[in-house]
Amino acid sequence: MKPLHILKTGGAALATSLMALVGSPVAAQGVLTAPVADWTGGQVTCHILQVILEDELGYKVKRIVMPAGPAIWEGVRSGDMDFGCEAWPSYNPISREYVAELGGDGSIAFLGEAGIIGRSSYYVPRYLVEGDDAPAKGLNMLADLNNHVDLFKTLESGDRGRLIGCPVAAWLCEDDKRLEANGINFTAVELGSETAHWAEMQAAYNRGEAFVAYAWEPHWIHAALDLHKVELPPYSEDAFPATGWSEDVTFNYGNPNMLTDHPEAAAVITNSYLTNEQQAGMILAIDVDGRDIDEVVREWMAANEDIWRAWLP
């Protein structure tokens, strides 16, 4: 979790952003606030909802850019933000404190499954493990990395292998703790953004180099690169982060006041359901083809009106 001073700083910045809305005519007629996700899939999920809420129900959705993690959950819980999209439980353990359906106190409302089923692990290029001359045959389990430390060494990692770890610290992947707990002679590097993360993987792949990297599904990277999954120890809540991640049934969430103050908006969010396959095509268009997210989302909505109109109350 973030140190307290970071939470206070995030709260102050959020309060400043929201003060601009106070007293405005639009705010009095229905402004909803929501964070901007720091992964493309989450941005797609929330952007679809934003378009529906604005174009169909007449709301104005104010999007807040701030670091992922506990500060967002505290913002929704306190009412500084109204809702959030596509929470991955494995990366948001704080959700178990607040969401009643996960055993929490009910201070954050569960607004339905988002439809995305998330799976995370570490991956290597298939050319490292398959073929007569493959340099890392037998690399299937996390522990197998210790047999190939020299293959994955870099100037940056010294005598250890290098893992391209989770790109954003706030996602709480705890890669170094996982490596240490399992006695893996590797060190993790965080590249700071999704864009840098995928670019690093693609560049190494195109050069035919050895790398091992964190990735998740659904994601376009699995269509762009032929990757081999490294099996992590089975998920255990008590042992995490020594284990891998659980399968994430993602969900949308909001301040409980959404249910009474904005019931139609809450119903749309709760009814919404986007599959891995539906989302993946939009991620590909945005991250690989470089298209604008609003253009991609509206194109999908125009072609799939029967899907999203069923979400309307």
Side-chain angles (χ1 to χ4, degrees), residues 23 31 48 60 78 102 124 126 158 177 185 207 215 251:
V31 172
I48 292 173
K60 170 64 180 175
S78 68
L102 302 180
V124 298
R126 195 171 303 279
K177 290 183 179 179
N185 190 26
R207 293 191 297 265
F251 63 93

Side-chain angles (χ1 to χ4, degrees), residues 24-44:
S24 71
V26 177
Q29 296 171 15
V31 172
L32 298 174
T33 60
V36 176
D38 51 11
W39 71 101
T40 308
Q43 292 174 22
V44 165

Side-chain angles (χ1 to χ4, degrees), residues 278 299-309:
Q278 291 164 347
E299 183 179 274
W300 181 86
M301 293 179 67
N304 295 277
E305 191 169 349
D306 58 326
I307 293 176
W308 62 264
R309 282 210 175 274

Side-chain angles (χ1 to χ4, degrees), residues 142-190:
L142 181 64
D144 297 332
L145 285 172
N146 278 339
N147 299 326
H148 305 283
V149 172
D150 289 344
L151 183 63
F152 294 97
K153 281 182 182 178
T154 66
L155 291 175
E156 182 181 19
S157 65
D159 291 334
R160 307 182 118 200
R162 177 180 183 259
L163 166 72
I164 304 173
C166 223
V168 181
W171 295 1
L172 303 179
C173 290
E174 308 284 15
D175 295 304
D176 274 322
K177 290 183 179 179
R178 179 173 299 102
L179 296 171
E180 182 180 359
N182 287 280
I184 309 301
N185 190 26
F186 273 61
T187 188
V189 296
E190 292 173 355

Side-chain angles (χ1 to χ4, degrees), residues 104-116:
D105 61 12
S107 57
I108 288 182
F110 179 84
L111 297 182
E113 293 182 4
I116 302 302

Side-chain angles (χ1 to χ4, degrees), residues 2-186:
K2 289 185 173 62
L4 183 59
H5 75 274
I6 294 180
L7 290 178
K8 287 181 177 178
T9 301
L14 182 59
T16 300
S17 298
L18 294 175
M19 282 178 64
L21 297 174
V22 175
S24 71
V26 177
Q29 296 171 15
V31 172
L32 298 174
T33 60
V36 176
D38 51 11
W39 71 101
T40 308
Q43 292 174 22
V44 165
T45 296
C46 227
H47 200 90
I48 292 173
L49 288 173
Q50 178 180 347
V51 171
I52 296 172
L53 291 170
E54 291 185 338
D55 291 2
E56 301 296 324
L57 298 186
Y59 282 94
K60 170 64 180 175
V61 180
K62 175 71 173 180
R63 304 300 299 279
I64 305 295
V65 178
M66 61 186 298
I72 286 178
W73 290 86
E74 292 294 346
V76 173
R77 181 171 176 260
S78 68
D80 287 336
M81 289 185 287
D82 294 294
F83 69 94
C85 308
E86 197 186 304
W88 290 50
S90 292
Y91 299 84
N92 295 277
I94 196 172
S95 63
R96 292 191 288 272
E97 299 178 25
Y98 300 146
V99 179
E101 286 77 359
L102 302 180
D105 61 12
S107 57
I108 288 182
F110 179 84
L111 297 182
E113 293 182 4
I116 302 302
I117 306 297
R119 302 173 182 91
S120 304
S121 192
Y122 301 148
Y123 296 81
V124 298
R126 195 171 303 279
Y127 56 70
L128 293 182
V129 298
E130 292 185 4
D132 294 339
D133 299 324
K137 279 189 175 181
L139 202 175
N140 295 306
M141 311 295 292
L142 181 64
D144 297 332
L145 285 172
N146 278 339
N147 299 326
H148 305 283
V149 172
D150 289 344
L151 183 63
F152 294 97
K153 281 182 182 178
T154 66
L155 291 175
E156 182 181 19
S157 65
D159 291 334
R160 307 182 118 200
R162 177 180 183 259
L163 166 72
I164 304 173
C166 223
V168 181
W171 295 1
L172 303 179
C173 290
E174 308 284 15
D175 295 304
D176 274 322
K177 290 183 179 179
R178 179 173 299 102
L179 296 171
E180 182 180 359
N182 287 280
I184 309 301
N185 190 26
F186 273 61

